[in-house]
Amino acid sequence: MKWALVLVLMSGIWDSGLRFDTYKDCMVKGVRASFNNSRMREEEKQFYDIDPDTRNDYQDIVKCVPSK
C-alpha cells in the first residue's frame, strides 16, 4: 500500500501528489520534512524540537493517508 501526503485546509483536502511506500517514510520524508523546510526554518527548530501542541496542530493539517 502507498501512502499519500495530503493537506487539510478550510477549503477541503488537497492531495500533494507525493506518494510513499510506508507510513514511516511518509511521516519522515513528507510531514516532518515539509515542516522542517517551511514553518520553523528560520528558527532552526526541527519537527520534534517544538512543543507537542504546535506539532499536533501541524499534523492535523498535513497528514499521511492510505492511497490506492
Side-chain angles (χ1 to χ4, degrees):
M1 170 189 332
K2 293 274 189 179
W3 291 86
L5 184 70
V6 299
L7 302 172
V8 180
L9 307 171
M10 290 179 70
S11 58
I13 295 174
W14 182 73
D15 188 338
S16 70
L18 297 173
R19 299 292 184 269
F20 302 92
D21 292 327
T22 66
Y23 179 80
K24 183 177 179 181
D25 281 348
C26 184
M27 285 299 297
V28 172
K29 298 175 184 174
V31 176
R32 291 181 210 161
S34 68
F35 183 89
N36 292 340
N37 287 328
S38 61
R39 184 173 167 168
M40 302 299 272
R41 183 178 214 167
E42 56 281 344
E43 294 181 28
E44 298 297 322
K45 289 188 177 181
Q46 295 297 308
F47 190 69
Y48 282 104
D49 293 338
I50 60 171
D51 65 273
D53 289 337
T54 303
R55 188 170 60 233
N56 289 338
D57 288 346
Y58 192 78
Q59 283 186 294
D60 287 342
I61 297 168
V62 183
K63 296 180 178 274
C64 293
V65 299
S67 173
K68 294 182 180 179

